Amino acid sequence: MRYRYLLASALSIGCLSFGRLTAVAQTKPEDKNFKVLAESFADLQILRYQVPGFDELSLQQKKLAYYLAEAALSGRDIIYDQSGKHNLLVRKTIENIYSTYKGDRKSADWQKFLTYAGRFWFSNGMHHHYGNEKFVPEHSYAYFSKLVLNSNLKAFPVNKGESVAAFLNRIRPVIFDPKFQPKITDSSPNIDNVVASSNNFYEGVTQKEVENYYAQFDTKGNAPSWGLNTKVLKQNGKVIEKTWKVGGMYSPAIERIVYWLEKAVPVAENAKQKDALQKLVKYYRSGNLKDFDDYSIAWVNDTESRLDVVNGFIEVYKDAIGKKGSFESVVSLKDMEATKRLEAIAREAQWFEDNSPLMPDHKKKTVKGITAKAITVIMESGDASPSTPIGINLPNADWIRRDHGSKSVSLSNIVQAYNLSSANSGVLDEFTFDPAVKARIRQYGALSSDLHTDMHECIGHASGQINPGVATPDKTLKNYASTLEEARADLVALYYVIDPKLIEIGVMPSLEVGKAEYDSYIMNGLITQLTRLKPGDNLEEAHMRNRQLNAMWVYEKGKADNVIEFVKQNGKTYTKVNDYNKLRTLFGQLLREIQRVKSEGDFEAGKNLVETYGVKVDQNLLKEVLARYAKLNVKPYKGFIQPKLVPVMNGTEITDVKVTYPTSFYQQMMEYGKKYAFLPVIN
């Protein structure tokens, strides 16, 4: 599971020093003059991040980082194809136009093409990375035809014997028809979510056929996460799976991943890390999910290494029924100083579990090894890039977490870059009406946001247990599983962020920190996250649904006591928390219920929670919020250019590895398209 950057984070920070009142220091930037902001277009702001501490690594560690970064980038094609069957076709078309178009590159239409290209690269395909809906170019099809005809015709991904005219006719609906594959993930109720979703996890099958197929697999106990690494389709009328492995689907890219992983094995830092990497290679070769579980256990057991990597088919957010893992990779090194706060929380994991408001049968009697650390990201790829998480807790398999523990990480240099980019956004002033609340968020918001992320990942996802005999959430809660899991982890963090225990263990100075988080979370869940929508939209993305679910539920349940209220002032709507202790009690009650839903596999109750509180948007409020936000000239979404690891060679030997920081997102996308394009356009 992972935690995405929230608009609430932008509300939380007045400057970087706010909230950093404990002994835990923030990662120091390598260059104070480093420019975080890069290009911006559409609703997107591109950022850059530094990798402090890299130069301190040994040559062996630097080699390891380089090999793991190359393995990460080698899987880039996979996320494009997983996100839509035609995405590689479109991407290669865009790349050829961008590099070879001989016409006017200063016209308004060319700028519209550049915007479409940037959006496409940012989303790893033609559907919005957060909203799920398809976007189309602002320029006309006639202009697109002109672009194609004035570019290198031999370099377009045409079929054998296909004319340029036929190619243009074939690609026209793919790019320009908003009704052609309109949503990458459609989690709407009472529809066939498999058929309605435009991702490339399923083809020619219905949701019922998929569910019947996986009903044959035992998902109780220590069963693997069936379906995590396959595409489901029909062959001769029979439902089958195509496995993503060496020799299977995506083999050319996976072979390159394996090539770099095998180069990493000899320079592993220790025996446990070497064992985990070898098991990852074995899994990629076999495609056997039991091998993936063996790897996951070995990865959890490697707690000593300074460097770490997530690489594989991990998160299931893009799949409406929560089975298929998107490719992603995060290469990192441990941030030694910032880890102290996370370790302090992890040490008390059993206390947090024992004192939670969950029903006794739903609590873990023994919380197994949560390894918590802050990390400095070195490289991200796949579904972790350009839009990145700020917190990660893995493995996702409940039984591995129960029996072997988990790793919980906070991405410290990513958070720092976000903080720098948001320091003077004006969002806090626009959406907070109470000067005292505003002052509290300015003082404590950075720390409160960090603590929320830490606890969401570290104790949130690791808490609770499924009742014996109950199947995994992808089977029981189906298209609501991701939203409910994120809501549950948020609620654990919210319940404890105002607990004196955090003062006792030295991670926050006063309960004012927790109050700042309550103010920010309610504001974000009920108002400011709406800035990411368009008029007429409801909520589609799992994290946005979870935040509104939590905030709207406590608002509705607390009405009698006026726990939270909407305040109108000068024609503007604000939220106001009137009773922080009662709000905490309500958060605890909702946490208890969502854990019950998960533990018992209560689909109808889970569906009712999400559909009642987490989906529908007040369109009048949305219109108001969008108008207020537009005046700030702030982009609602942010993502990153990746650093570049450059080996210093002496013949065939690497004598050093340097980190450089590219400044152009467009140039990096073109470089990646040339260097890491291993898959055909149709897979």
Side-chain angles (χ1 to χ4, degrees):
M1 299 294 178
R2 64 188 182 201
Y3 202 60
R4 287 287 189 185
Y5 174 74
L6 310 183
L7 191 62
S9 299
L11 292 168
S12 303
I13 290 99
C15 73
L16 285 174
S17 62
F18 294 145
R20 298 292 174 182
L21 303 179
T22 67
V24 180
Q26 177 149 343
T27 301
K28 297 283 193 302
E30 291 188 316
D31 179 3
K32 292 181 180 179
N33 297 316
F34 183 83
K35 293 182 179 179
V36 172
L37 297 179
E39 298 109 321
S40 64
F41 46 87
D43 56 357
L44 305 168
Q45 174 66 59
I46 305 299
L47 307 177
R48 302 161 70 226
Y49 66 88
Q50 298 182 80
V51 188
F54 188 86
D55 289 341
E56 303 166 8
L57 300 177
S58 68
L59 177 58
Q60 178 183 336
Q61 290 172 316
K62 289 180 178 180
K63 287 181 179 179
L64 177 63
Y66 171 67
Y67 297 145
L68 294 177
E70 289 296 304
L73 292 169
S74 294
R76 177 175 180 258
D77 272 359
I78 297 174
I79 190 61
Y80 276 89
D81 196 72
Q82 289 180 318
S83 300
K85 185 175 181 178
H86 304 286
N87 280 337
L88 289 173
L89 170 73
V90 176
R91 197 192 80 197
K92 291 176 187 296
T93 300
I94 289 172
E95 290 168 350
N96 187 42
I97 293 170
Y98 186 91
S99 61
T100 70
Y101 177 60
K102 298 183 290 290
D104 182 4
R105 289 181 176 240
K106 295 183 179 179
S107 70
D109 276 337
W110 176 255
Q111 292 303 315
K112 291 175 182 177
F113 167 74
L114 291 182
T115 296
Y116 179 74
R119 295 186 73 190
F120 188 92
W121 284 321
F122 192 95
S123 295
N124 297 313
M126 67 183 75
H127 297 89
H128 195 281
H129 76 287
Y130 218 93
N132 291 328
E133 76 281 358
K134 183 178 181 178
F135 52 83
V136 299
E138 294 178 351
H139 59 71
S140 67
Y141 170 69
Y143 179 72
F144 176 75
S145 299
K146 178 183 175 181
L147 292 175
V148 170
L149 292 171
N150 286 276
S151 299
N152 180 5
L153 297 178
K154 294 181 180 180
F156 285 111
V158 299
N159 291 332
K160 186 176 182 180
E162 185 179 38
S163 67
V164 173
F167 169 73
L168 280 167
N169 189 58
R170 176 165 62 96
I171 205 170
R172 180 174 185 170
V174 175
I175 296 178
F176 286 91
D177 185 354
K179 295 180 181 178
F180 179 86
Q181 299 192 334
K183 282 187 178 179
I184 184 174
T185 308
D186 194 333
S187 301
S188 303
N190 308 317
I191 65 168
D192 188 315
N193 299 114
V194 166
V195 173
S197 298
S198 304
N199 54 54
N200 197 24
F201 297 138
Y202 308 97
E203 187 171 354
V205 290
T206 66
Q207 182 172 346
K208 185 66 174 174
E209 287 173 324
V210 173
E211 290 174 351
N212 288 342
Y213 177 79
Y214 285 112
Q216 306 171 70
F217 295 78
D218 182 8
T219 56
K220 301 182 185 68
N222 295 2
S225 301
W226 301 117
L228 187 69
N229 65 335
T230 64
K231 176 178 177 177
V232 177
L233 64 160
K234 274 186 182 175
Q235 197 171 79
N236 300 321
K238 184 180 180 182
V239 176
I240 65 163
E241 291 180 290
K242 290 175 69 174
T243 305
W244 307 326
K245 66 171 186 172
V246 172
M249 189 172 177
Y250 300 142
S251 184
I254 295 174
E255 287 169 31
R256 295 301 299 172
I257 295 172
V258 167
Y259 169 82
W260 289 108
L261 291 175
E262 289 183 328
K263 291 184 77 68
V265 168
V267 292
E269 296 178 75
N270 52 57
K272 286 186 176 180
Q273 187 179 61
K274 182 177 182 179
D275 180 52
L277 291 171
Q278 288 174 326
K279 283 182 166 65
L280 179 57
V281 168
K282 181 182 179 183
Y283 159 63
Y284 270 133
R285 291 192 179 281
S286 72
N288 188 326
L289 286 168
K290 293 184 178 179
D291 289 338
F292 178 68
D293 287 345
D294 289 343
Y295 154 70
S296 298
I297 294 167
W299 178 77
V300 166
N301 287 333
D302 174 23
T303 59
E304 302 300 321
S305 301
R306 178 82 190 274
L307 275 72
D308 205 351
V309 64
V310 172
N311 187 302
F313 308 111
I314 309 295
E315 305 291 3
V316 297
Y317 300 113
K318 287 187 184 295
D319 181 4
I321 60 172
K323 294 184 182 296
K324 305 300 173 185
S326 298
F327 174 80
E328 71 172 89
S329 188
V330 178
V331 182
S332 63
L333 63 94
K334 187 175 181 180
D335 183 335
M336 306 301 287
E337 190 64 30
T339 293
K340 293 176 182 177
R341 183 186 66 243
L342 268 164
E343 288 179 336
I345 293 169
R347 279 194 296 269
E348 300 294 337
Q350 191 65 59
W351 184 93
F352 289 120
E353 185 78 353
D354 293 343
N355 289 276
S356 77
L358 306 184
M359 298 178 187
D361 288 346
H362 299 160
K363 295 182 183 182
K364 287 179 178 173
K365 303 302 181 284
T366 304
V367 179
K368 292 290 178 68
I370 299 173
T371 302
K373 60 183 177 180
I375 61 172
T376 297
V377 175
I378 299 172
M379 178 64 66
E380 295 177 307
S381 179
D383 201 31
S385 175
S387 178
T388 170
I390 57 172
I392 301 171
N393 183 284
L394 292 172
N396 283 332
D398 280 295
W399 73 267
I400 296 180
R401 298 149 83 89
R402 180 195 68 214
D403 295 345
H404 301 278
S406 61
K407 285 183 181 178
S408 178
V409 299
S410 174
L411 285 57
S412 59
N413 58 334
I414 295 294
V415 172
Q416 182 188 54
Y418 277 136
N419 289 355
L420 281 167
S421 72
S422 301
N424 300 303
S425 68
V427 175
L428 179 61
D429 289 324
E430 176 59 38
F431 290 99
T432 312
F433 85 100
D434 185 334
V437 170
K438 195 182 301 184
R440 182 162 55 214
I441 292 175
R442 288 196 187 282
Q443 183 172 5
Y444 297 117
L447 178 59
S448 75
S449 179
D450 285 349
L451 284 171
H452 181 108
T453 303
D454 294 346
M455 292 189 291
H456 173 106
E457 296 296 346
C458 185
I459 59 175
H461 285 308
S463 70
Q465 62 183 4
I466 296 174
N467 290 359
V470 174
T472 50
D474 65 299
K475 247 186 182 178
T476 59
L477 304 180
K478 302 179 184 180
N479 49 309
Y480 299 104
S482 292
T483 294
L484 290 167
E485 177 59 24
E486 293 305 316
R488 193 183 68 85
D490 260 5
L491 288 164
V492 172
L494 290 165
Y495 185 76
Y496 282 117
V497 78
I498 203 165
D499 196 296
K501 182 70 172 180
L502 299 186
I503 301 173
E504 178 189 322
I505 64 176
V507 298
M508 75 179 191
S510 79
L511 296 182
E512 292 296 293
V513 178
K515 291 179 179 179
E517 184 59 21
Y518 278 16
D519 292 326
S520 293
Y521 192 90
I522 294 301
M523 191 190 316
N524 184 62
L526 296 179
I527 293 183
T528 51
Q529 73 167 355
L530 299 181
T531 59
R532 294 180 159 186
L533 302 181
K534 301 188 302 295
D537 283 355
N538 284 314
L539 298 178
E540 297 282 349
E541 199 276 335
H543 295 81
M544 293 182 77
R545 285 183 166 191
N546 109 63
R547 293 192 288 271
Q548 180 170 291
L549 187 167
N550 289 345
M552 189 62 74
W553 191 95
V554 294
Y555 166 70
E556 293 288 349
K557 301 300 181 183
K559 274 185 174 179
D561 294 324
N562 199 31
V563 176
I564 301 166
E565 65 178 313
F566 284 101
V567 177
K568 279 278 193 179
Q569 190 175 80
N570 300 323
K572 296 180 179 181
T573 307
Y574 303 89
T575 56
K576 182 183 179 185
V577 177
N578 292 314
D579 193 319
Y580 295 91
N581 291 324
K582 286 184 178 179
L583 179 54
R584 186 195 187 198
T585 299
L586 290 169
F587 280 139
Q589 290 172 1
L590 181 56
L591 170 59
R592 181 185 179 96
E593 172 59 10
I594 291 182
Q595 181 62 58
R596 184 199 67 77
V597 167
K598 179 180 180 180
S599 296
E600 298 176 3
D602 190 341
F603 173 80
E604 289 300 327
K607 173 184 176 181
N608 184 59
L609 280 171
V610 176
E611 293 295 336
T612 303
Y613 300 102
V615 177
K616 296 292 187 289
V617 170
D618 180 332
Q619 292 299 315
N620 290 327
L621 177 60
L622 174 58
K623 183 179 179 181
E624 175 204 317
V625 169
L626 291 176
R628 293 164 65 185
Y629 192 70
K631 294 177 181 178
L632 300 176
N633 195 30
V634 177
K635 303 294 185 183
Y637 299 101
K638 298 176 182 179
F640 290 89
I641 298 170
Q642 297 301 314
K644 184 176 182 179
L645 272 59
V646 182
V648 178
M649 306 299 295
N650 182 6
T652 59
E653 287 295 313
I654 296 176
T655 59
D656 198 4
V657 178
K658 299 292 186 182
V659 179
T660 63
Y661 300 103
T663 58
S664 171
F665 177 70
Y666 283 77
Q667 289 178 14
Q668 181 165 84
M669 292 299 96
M670 289 299 294
E671 179 182 334
Y672 283 179
K674 292 177 182 177
K675 188 174 180 181
Y676 302 105
F678 301 119
L679 296 180
V681 294
I682 298 297
N683 294 276

